[in-house]
Amino acid sequence: MKTGVKIVILIGVIIFIIIALFIGAKIWLNYTWFNKLGLLSVFVKVIWTKIGMWFTFFFIFLIFAGVNFIIAFKKGNIQSIKIQQGGVPVEISRKIGVIIALLGLLILGLIMARNGSGRWELILKYFNKAEFNIADPVFHRDLSFYVFTLPVFLFLKSWSLGTIILTMIAVSFLYLVSGNVSFENNKLTISDQAKKHIISLILLIVIIIAWNYWLKVYQLLFSKRGLIYGAGFTDVKVSRPSFYIMIAVSLFTAVLTYIGIKKNSFKQPLIGFGILIAGAIVITGIIPGIVQQISVRPNELVKELPYIKNNINYTRKGFNLEIIEREAFPVEDSLTAADFTPEEGITKNIRLWDHRPLKATFSQIQEFRLYYDFYDVDVDRYYFGDEYRQVMLSAREINYDEIPPEAKTWVNETLQFTHGYGLVMAPVNEIGEEGLPVLIVKDIPPKISVPLELERPEIYYGEETIPYVIVNTKLAEFDYPKGDTNETVRYAGTGGLQIKSSIRKFLLAVQLKSLEIIFTKYLNPDSRLMVFRSIQERVPKIAPFLKFDPNPYLVVHDKKLFWIIDAYTITDQFPYSTPSEGRYNYIRNSVKITVDAYTGDVKFYIIDREDPIIKTYSNIFPDMFNDISEMPEGLQRHIRYPLYIFSVQAEIYSTYHMTDPQVFYNKEDKWNIPREIYGEEETNMIPYYTIVKFPDAEQNEEFVLILPFTPTNKNNMLAWIAAMCDGENYGRIIEYKFPKEKLLYGPLQIESRIDQNSEISQLFTLWGQKGSSVIRGNLLVIPIKDSLIYVEPVYLKAEQSELPELKRVIIGYQDNIVIGLNLEDALYKMFGRPEVAIAEKGEAVMVEPEAGVLLSIKNLVDRAVSHYNRAQTMLREGDFAGYGLQIEQLQTVLDQLEERTK
């Protein structure tokens, strides 16, 4: 063997070993990681399915294409291959030609096998499918056929067609270079064997075309031709029989092609394909188009009415809109000051803090170091003793991009800065000094002023914890800053993969492409490597077949921190259902997922037991999913109806609340998502969480997700929907419809009235002249008993500051707009003072503006000093309206003091 050949072989072996090493390291890491999470069966099921499908499709292609290659070589009597090299003809021997053909065959086989194994999910769903127990309205097949079976048929059709076409191209090329196909005197000459062989492959293509028309019959249920999504009049009455005719035409073409094989002639197949193409153009294209334009469009309502009904029914099923209950909301406008006393508990959960300015505020007052970051602010609710409170909270994580460049070493990023620390929590309605939030969980280590315990504030797994880290090394980990020094800690949990041996170190170094793992002296047998720490990467790696909510949220439970993530099952194969954003037309929030922020343990809980898609996945991965009843009760209190699916449902419901086909056709009652002003820009209103007491509820408060609606091309409000989040009511969605005879202002109309209010506009102008930025927060429509109020916080950000301060609260009720220093102040202006109980000497009294608060003499003195200090601050700021209000409130407190000391 020549030296050059040996070198080539050696290089090939080395490349193979390197590739095998990387693939082996990846498989080992995934195997170990899934095993650590207790989900090894999931990994094994997927990997064996992929391997099995890879070899299945590889050998199917190899056998089919190989047989055709053998036929080409033997029956075509290919002795040599002739090619042109630099204009000089070169003849390659039969042996070398066979080797080249085999290499080409292997490469094509690898491509087709990869394509086949990538559809492992389709195959697993097909063999484990659950029934929907809903039939389509045209063919009366269970919808599982369209969701699980039809996609497999479409894939197999495409794969088979690709296999035949690739084989035909390769075989034709072999015949061409071997001289069985040639061009002489501008005339194409094909040997008899080559002709027969190519026509045989064409016959298979024609059979697949016939199969394709059979599949197209069922794909009519996803038609976009007519007025609605799904099969319309033309599709059912014209296109459906047209496809059956084309099946017959295809089979006729197949017969002509078979005759061509017998006669060894292209004439018959060409005639057949001519008929097939003409039929496709005329029968499936021109005729349906003419019927649509001439017969259907002039009589659209009559012709399409039953199909509009199908579209309405199945879109409502696809997006689960059928569960929405309908109730009347009378809007009596009967609120009084007495409705806002502390005993009523209404004001304590009206959200004043918006997540966007609050994130900036948290960053300014609670990050402490450059490398700490608050990635997002979430809203949740907690029981503090017997009190049900809505809060805003955010996790304090490490942003590795903010570590100073001189400190960005492998040791620091991997061994020392391993985790974030704690969280910040604030009630949604409380305003502290200088317009800042009142923090009930703050600082490092955490200081907690409510009945809430947290013993494990470390965050090893979160939204920003992207790089891998190694814990329990010879170096102590950085825990948190303490003055001029840093506190250190050693990891005490079970998270991460143990680095037990040099072999493991080597495999990890290969997979993570990090030589430092091999050569560092800081590791020991107890060291643990934490990988896939970002929950946006960690959870999808386990279940790539689910769609995940873009907003995980943090929960304090059992003295630890957990993340809760919502997951959805989706498909675009639900008949007649109009797709959302052109992507999917069926969605369910079927799974709740928890991730332990300290150990990284992941648990999947099924919350929608009726969803056939999650039933199918549960059949595939029986060890993966738990029932929601198995979720710890403390975590169950924090599950919520997700904003993502609620927004999708609201968008669809704005049209599909109309269930009468004729009303739907005329779009007589189409709704819109309201517009509002945020900052200085008009934008769509975003659904918001709040705690409310519904008109029919005597005692219980509900954590709900709310969104109002306005009519198309109008801004008044006509309804709102609420999704329940608590306990047995979880998942209930109620539409509250306002009386048609009553005009209710929509959010944008309230925004316009705010702009027209002279007191407010003067205040905004004054602040703007001083170089400050006015940030108008989210306008909230709050249902209270049988009435509505509108609440909009106003933030002020100084020109040289990144710290927004909540300076005012605007309230709208009926035709009135008022602005106050805080919520209580604005309510006082709107509804007046509740009855004030003056106690006997030596006892507490009740005074305003915080209606119903018991105050001693010392409290009154403190309140008087506070009003005086605020008045002086506003005088310096040039806020004369605020100054006058504070002086009025100071006088009220002084009068109470005088009365109190008589």
Side-chain angles (χ1 to χ4, degrees):
M1 188 180 295
K2 295 182 179 180
T3 305
V5 176
K6 290 182 179 179
I7 293 174
V8 170
I9 293 173
L10 180 60
I11 292 173
V13 170
I14 293 172
I15 292 173
F16 175 79
I17 292 173
I18 292 172
I19 293 173
L21 181 62
F22 276 98
I23 293 174
K26 181 178 181 180
I27 292 174
W28 171 82
L29 177 61
N30 286 326
Y31 179 94
T32 308
W33 185 74
F34 274 90
N35 189 41
K36 176 67 179 64
L37 292 174
L39 295 169
L40 183 59
S41 61
V42 176
F43 174 75
V44 170
K45 174 68 72 70
V46 172
I47 198 72
W48 279 117
T49 302
K50 285 182 176 180
I51 291 172
M53 288 180 62
W54 193 95
F55 279 105
T56 298
F57 285 105
F58 179 75
F59 283 117
I60 289 174
F61 180 85
L62 208 63
I63 291 169
F64 178 81
V67 167
N68 279 277
F69 275 40
I70 292 171
I71 292 172
F73 271 95
K74 289 188 174 180
K75 300 294 184 180
N77 195 28
I78 298 176
Q79 300 300 323
S80 63
I81 296 175
K82 299 172 183 178
I83 60 174
Q84 295 285 331
Q85 186 173 1
V88 179
V90 177
E91 186 171 332
I92 299 175
S93 67
R94 178 187 175 94
K95 184 178 179 181
I96 300 298
V98 169
I99 294 173
I100 294 173
L102 285 175
L103 287 175
L105 187 65
L106 287 173
I107 292 171
L108 292 176
L110 292 173
I111 294 171
M112 297 304 290
R114 179 183 175 86
N115 179 264
S117 66
R119 301 304 181 95
W120 60 271
E121 186 184 339
L122 282 181
I123 302 301
L124 284 178
K125 287 194 293 185
Y126 173 75
F127 285 110
N128 295 274
K129 61 179 177 287
E131 298 291 310
F132 276 75
N133 295 318
I134 303 172
D136 77 84
V138 177
F139 303 104
H140 308 294
R141 283 181 173 266
D142 188 86
L143 299 190
S144 60
F145 170 79
Y146 301 95
V147 176
F148 302 123
T149 304
L150 186 59
V152 174
F153 288 172
L154 291 170
F155 160 65
L156 292 176
K157 176 211 71 176
S158 299
W159 191 89
S160 301
L161 187 61
T163 296
I164 296 169
I165 290 174
L166 283 175
T167 302
M168 189 172 70
I169 292 171
V171 167
S172 299
F173 180 74
L174 279 178
Y175 285 127
L176 178 64
V177 297
S178 64
N180 283 273
V181 177
S182 62
F183 294 92
E184 295 180 2
N185 299 322
N186 295 322
K187 184 180 179 182
L188 178 64
T189 303
I190 305 175
S191 68
D192 291 344
Q193 180 56 41
K195 192 181 296 182
K196 184 176 293 187
H197 192 176
I198 293 170
I199 295 173
S200 298
L201 293 173
I202 292 173
L203 173 62
L204 296 178
I205 292 175
V206 174
I207 292 172
I208 289 181
I209 289 174
W211 184 25
N212 181 57
Y213 277 114
W214 180 78
L215 296 174
K216 277 180 174 290
V217 171
Y218 295 102
Q219 288 180 284
L220 286 173
L221 299 191
F222 310 98
S223 171
K224 301 176 183 178
R225 179 201 303 273
L227 176 69
I228 46 89
Y229 184 88
F233 178 90
T234 303
D235 296 307
V236 174
K237 302 299 184 182
V238 182
S239 293
R240 180 184 179 186
S242 296
F243 288 148
Y244 287 129
I245 292 171
M246 290 307 299
I247 292 173
V249 172
S250 299
L251 294 177
F252 177 70
T253 302
V255 171
L256 289 177
T257 305
Y258 180 75
I259 294 172
I261 295 172
K262 291 298 184 181
K263 293 187 175 182
N264 206 8
S265 171
F266 279 112
K267 181 179 179 180
Q268 292 79 11
L270 288 173
I271 293 172
F273 268 94
I275 296 171
L276 187 63
I277 293 170
I281 294 172
V282 175
I283 298 174
T284 66
I286 294 175
I287 292 176
I290 291 172
V291 172
Q292 182 72 21
Q293 293 298 320
I294 294 177
S295 176
V296 177
R297 290 194 67 180
N299 308 284
E300 201 166 47
L301 181 57
V302 176
K303 299 278 190 182
E304 299 284 18
L305 203 63
Y307 307 105
I308 293 173
K309 189 173 182 179
N310 290 340
N311 175 254
I312 293 172
N313 290 340
Y314 283 82
T315 299
R316 289 173 62 86
K317 292 178 190 296
F319 291 94
N320 210 22
L321 304 183
E322 293 182 316
I323 68 169
I324 297 179
E325 306 166 30
R326 293 183 171 181
E327 296 185 14
F329 194 90
V331 193
E332 298 295 337
D333 289 335
S334 58
L335 295 178
T336 65
D339 292 315
F340 297 96
T341 60
E343 290 78 9
E344 291 294 325
I346 289 174
T347 60
K348 67 182 180 181
N349 289 310
I350 294 178
R351 179 166 66 84
L352 302 180
W353 290 102
D354 181 75
H355 69 95
R356 286 161 285 196
L358 192 59
K359 180 179 183 296
T361 301
F362 283 170
S363 298
Q364 290 296 311
I365 66 177
Q366 282 288 302
E367 283 186 354
F368 302 122
R369 294 291 189 273
L370 288 174
Y371 42 77
Y372 281 132
D373 188 32
F374 293 102
Y375 182 79
D376 191 17
V377 178
D378 298 307
V379 60
D380 202 355
R381 73 285 195 199
Y382 284 79
Y383 275 101
F384 299 132
D386 295 329
E387 189 176 28
Y388 196 41
R389 295 299 301 272
Q390 187 178 357
V391 298
M392 309 289 285
L393 69 158
S394 184
R396 186 186 291 107
E397 298 188 62
I398 288 182
N399 183 345
Y400 288 86
D401 293 333
E402 295 299 328
I403 294 176
E406 60 274 11
K408 274 196 170 187
T409 64
W410 182 85
V411 171
N412 277 343
E413 292 187 327
T414 309
L415 308 183
Q416 294 208 293
F417 289 94
T418 57
H419 58 275
Y421 199 91
L423 73 156
V424 180
M425 183 184 292
V428 295
N429 71 316
E430 295 187 22
I431 310 171
E433 294 294 331
E434 302 300 327
L436 298 178
V438 175
L439 303 182
I440 56 177
V441 179
K442 62 181 180 179
D443 296 347
I444 300 177
K447 295 177 183 176
I448 304 175
S449 57
V450 290
L452 189 70
E453 295 184 79
L454 181 60
E455 294 181 357
R456 278 290 172 207
E458 300 92 344
I459 301 174
Y460 285 87
Y461 299 86
E463 294 183 273
E464 288 194 282
T465 49
I466 296 172
Y468 73 89
V469 296
I470 303 175
V471 298
N472 286 351
T473 64
K474 295 175 183 177
L475 285 177
E477 300 170 48
F478 165 76
D479 200 23
Y480 59 86
K482 187 176 182 181
D484 295 331
T485 62
N486 292 329
E487 289 292 313
T488 59
V489 71
R490 290 188 66 80
Y491 181 70
T494 58
L497 306 177
Q498 285 186 297
I499 305 176
K500 300 177 181 179
S501 63
S502 298
I503 294 177
R504 282 198 166 203
K505 285 172 63 176
F506 175 74
L507 291 173
L508 289 170
V510 169
Q511 177 57 26
L512 299 173
K513 301 177 181 63
S514 175
L515 291 175
E516 291 88 348
I517 293 176
I518 297 176
F519 296 110
T520 182
K521 302 297 183 183
Y522 294 119
L523 303 189
N524 58 55
D526 296 326
S527 297
R528 291 174 174 268
L529 180 135
M530 295 182 175
V531 70
F532 311 128
R533 297 194 303 139
S534 167
I535 53 179
Q536 293 94 333
E537 177 188 18
R538 188 176 189 84
V539 179
K541 184 173 181 62
I542 299 170
F545 41 82
L546 297 175
K547 179 179 176 60
F548 296 95
D549 195 278
N551 185 30
Y553 58 99
L554 193 69
V555 170
V556 182
H557 163 68
D558 196 24
K559 305 177 184 180
K560 296 173 62 179
L561 297 176
F562 291 83
W563 296 95
I564 295 181
I565 311 168
D566 288 284
Y568 310 99
T569 53
I570 62 172
T571 181
D572 59 358
Q573 292 296 117
F574 200 84
Y576 271 112
S577 178
T578 301
S580 170
E581 301 175 357
R583 293 181 294 170
Y584 49 81
N585 56 11
Y586 174 96
I587 184 170
R588 294 291 187 274
N589 172 220
S590 298
V591 182
K592 304 286 184 181
I593 304 163
T594 63
V595 180
D596 190 317
Y598 191 69
T599 65
D601 290 340
V602 182
K603 300 292 183 184
F604 292 77
Y605 299 94
I606 294 178
I607 194 168
D608 187 349
R609 304 175 184 89
E610 302 303 317
D611 174 26
I613 297 182
I614 201 60
K615 285 182 182 178
T616 298
Y617 286 128
S618 186
N619 292 339
I620 298 170
F621 306 111
D623 299 329
M624 183 175 186
F625 298 100
N626 307 289
D627 189 79
I628 192 65
S629 61
E630 298 177 45
M631 178 185 280
E633 185 178 348
L635 288 175
Q636 285 190 46
R637 293 196 191 104
H638 293 278
I639 63 175
R640 65 190 189 189
Y641 201 83
L643 187 147
Y644 177 83
I645 190 174
F646 184 77
S647 299
V648 171
Q649 289 175 310
E651 184 65 39
I652 299 294
Y653 192 69
S654 65
T655 300
Y656 285 88
H657 69 277
M658 298 179 285
T659 55
D660 183 278
Q662 186 165 344
V663 174
F664 182 93
Y665 175 80
N666 295 323
K667 298 295 186 289
E668 296 175 18
D669 193 25
K670 190 176 186 308
W671 297 349
N672 276 349
I673 306 297
R675 305 282 288 174
E676 65 167 339
I677 303 294
Y678 180 81
E680 297 180 355
E681 297 181 0
E682 185 178 316
T683 182
N684 279 338
M685 196 170 195
I686 300 172
Y688 50 91
Y689 292 99
T690 188
I691 293 177
V692 301
K693 185 183 291 185
F694 285 92
D696 56 350
E698 293 296 326
Q699 297 294 332
N700 292 337
E701 297 170 308
E702 287 275 354
F703 186 63
V704 299
L705 184 57
I706 286 178
L707 183 68
F709 287 102
T710 59
T712 300
N713 300 323
K714 293 184 179 180
N715 290 323
N716 61 291
M717 194 162 55
L718 47 74
W720 59 283
I721 58 173
M724 311 295 186
C725 300
D726 288 337
E728 294 181 357
N729 284 332
Y730 176 88
R732 283 184 65 200
I733 304 178
I734 303 175
E735 172 207 316
Y736 287 96
K737 190 75 177 288
F738 301 134
K740 289 188 176 181
E741 66 275 7
K742 193 174 185 71
L743 175 65
L744 288 169
Y745 291 118
L748 202 58
Q749 291 174 319
I750 293 294
E751 299 282 18
S752 297
R753 293 181 62 82
I754 291 172
D755 291 335
Q756 295 164 6
N757 185 284
S758 58
E759 179 188 357
I760 296 173
S761 60
Q762 288 174 12
L763 184 59
F764 287 178
T765 301
L766 178 64
W767 282 337
Q769 290 172 349
K770 291 180 173 292
S772 298
S773 298
V774 178
I775 303 172
R776 292 167 65 167
N778 285 126
L779 177 68
L780 306 183
V781 183
I782 307 293
I784 298 177
K785 296 187 175 179
D786 57 0
S787 304
L788 296 173
I789 66 171
Y790 306 83
V791 179
E792 181 172 281
V794 180
Y795 309 93
L796 191 65
K797 188 173 71 171
E799 187 175 8
Q800 304 299 325
S801 172
E802 292 296 324
L803 185 64
E805 299 175 3
L806 204 165
K807 286 298 187 182
R808 296 290 187 274
V809 176
I810 300 172
I811 286 183
Y813 178 67
Q814 297 179 336
D815 293 328
N816 302 314
I817 300 291
V818 300
I819 185 169
L821 293 169
N822 50 40
L823 182 62
E824 290 78 12
D825 183 34
L827 289 171
Y828 167 67
K829 285 186 173 183
M830 179 66 74
F831 298 101
R833 185 200 309 272
E835 293 184 6
V836 179
I838 303 298
E840 295 296 328
K841 187 173 182 178
E843 297 179 359
V845 298
M846 296 176 65
V847 300
E848 287 298 319
E850 294 188 18
V853 179
L854 295 177
L855 299 175
S856 65
I857 290 179
K858 182 178 183 305
N859 295 137
L860 288 171
V861 172
D862 291 341
R863 180 57 57 84
V865 172
S866 175
H867 284 308
Y868 175 78
N869 289 336
R870 288 185 184 181
Q872 295 303 310
T873 299
M874 290 176 180
L875 184 61
R876 288 192 298 271
E877 292 177 351
D879 182 0
F880 299 110
Y883 171 79
L885 180 62
Q886 289 296 329
I887 292 299
E888 289 178 10
Q889 292 177 343
L890 173 60
Q891 185 61 52
T892 301
V893 176
L894 292 175
D895 290 343
Q896 296 294 336
L897 271 171
E898 183 180 2
E899 183 70 27
R900 175 70 178 78
T901 54
K902 284 181 180 178

